[in-house]
């Protein structure tokens, strides 16, 4: 199982690097908001792998809260970006 955890963490790191590239080079505000949402999901997934490695379920409510905050933040950011685009 250690090999599986290492492979999953390596893939999460690669996905995080690609997401950071999209965040920095995104041509539009909505692209950057989507990249931030994906980055939050990757952080939650990495924390879930940590929980699985150490078999400690005490952080599961924290994972749920961070995932919910990420969703609400991306939905709010998208709504504000669309509203700003309408004023132009």
């Amino acid at each position: 199982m250690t090999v599986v955890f290492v492979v999953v963490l390596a893939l999460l790191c690669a996905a995080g690097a690609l997401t950071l590239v999209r965040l920095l080079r995104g041509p539009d505000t909505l692209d950057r908001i989507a990249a931030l949402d994906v980055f939050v999901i990757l952080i939650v997934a990495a924390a879930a792998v940590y929980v699985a490695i150490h078999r400690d379920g005490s952080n599961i409510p924290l994972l749920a809260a961070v995932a919910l905050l990420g969703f609400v933040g991306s939905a709010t950011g998208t709504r504000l970006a669309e509203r700003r685009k309408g004023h132009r």
Side-chain angles (χ1 to χ4, degrees):
M1 281 307 275
T2 304
V3 174
V4 173
F5 290 137
V6 169
V7 169
V8 168
L9 288 176
L11 290 174
L12 286 173
C13 287
L18 292 173
T19 302
L20 283 176
V21 168
R22 174 51 53 199
L23 180 67
L24 296 175
R25 296 188 63 190
D28 195 15
T29 304
L30 293 176
D31 291 332
R32 290 187 170 108
I33 291 171
L36 279 174
D37 188 36
V38 170
F39 199 68
V40 168
I41 291 169
L42 290 173
I43 290 171
V44 168
V49 171
Y50 173 82
V51 166
I53 288 172
H54 294 288
R55 297 179 190 224
D56 179 26
S58 63
N59 291 333
I60 292 176
L62 179 65
L63 294 176
V66 170
L68 181 65
L69 284 174
F71 170 73
V72 170
S74 65
T76 304
T78 304
R79 190 171 175 192
L80 289 174
E82 286 297 318
R83 189 179 296 170
R84 182 184 298 170
K85 189 182 279 187
H87 286 288
R88 290 183 182 173

